[in-house]
Amino acid sequence: MAASSVTVRRDKQQFQGVFNELWTAKGTINFGEVADGDEAVDTIAVPGVALGDMVIGVAAVLDVADLGLTAAVTAANEVTVQVWNNTGGAVDLASAVFKVVVGRPNF
């Protein structure tokens, strides 16, 4: 079912007041070979983040070869990056830099 109403704001202040704090971090991760139907996780140290903070975005500086990519704050000072493979075959990603943006909601 499609959304019936969508509001888009394109300006530099669209997060103003939504987050008390923002963090950007990056870390080099080598997931190695991920079998079809499997997942792999690794962590990036992000000093100051806590459970309840939101990962606003995660990006890799390489093509993730149709793997799913997500990240979450899983402990104090730690963001867990996860890839999962439903491609039908094993995928071996090269070592790469992964970047995250984390925000502390103001609500």
Side-chain angles (χ1 to χ4, degrees), residues 17-60:
V18 177
F19 297 100
N20 288 332
E21 296 182 63
L22 288 171
W23 292 264
T24 59
K26 62 185 177 180
T28 301
I29 299 174
N30 186 352
F31 287 114
E33 185 173 280
V34 183
D36 181 46
D38 205 358
E39 64 183 38
V41 297
D42 205 338
T43 59
I44 298 174
V46 186
V49 300
L51 292 174
D53 292 343
M54 300 171 137
V55 174
I56 299 166
V58 58

Side-chain angles (χ1 to χ4, degrees), residues 25-106:
K26 62 185 177 180
T28 301
I29 299 174
N30 186 352
F31 287 114
E33 185 173 280
V34 183
D36 181 46
D38 205 358
E39 64 183 38
V41 297
D42 205 338
T43 59
I44 298 174
V46 186
V49 300
L51 292 174
D53 292 343
M54 300 171 137
V55 174
I56 299 166
V58 58
V61 297
L62 82 162
D63 180 0
V64 294
D66 293 330
L67 298 182
L69 174 63
T70 190
V73 176
T74 53
N77 306 311
E78 184 174 275
V79 172
T80 297
V81 178
Q82 175 188 36
V83 294
W84 66 94
N85 182 0
N86 290 316
T87 65
V91 175
D92 190 355
L93 294 178
S95 179
V97 173
F98 287 77
K99 301 175 183 180
V100 295
V101 177
V102 180
R104 177 157 298 147
N106 189 23

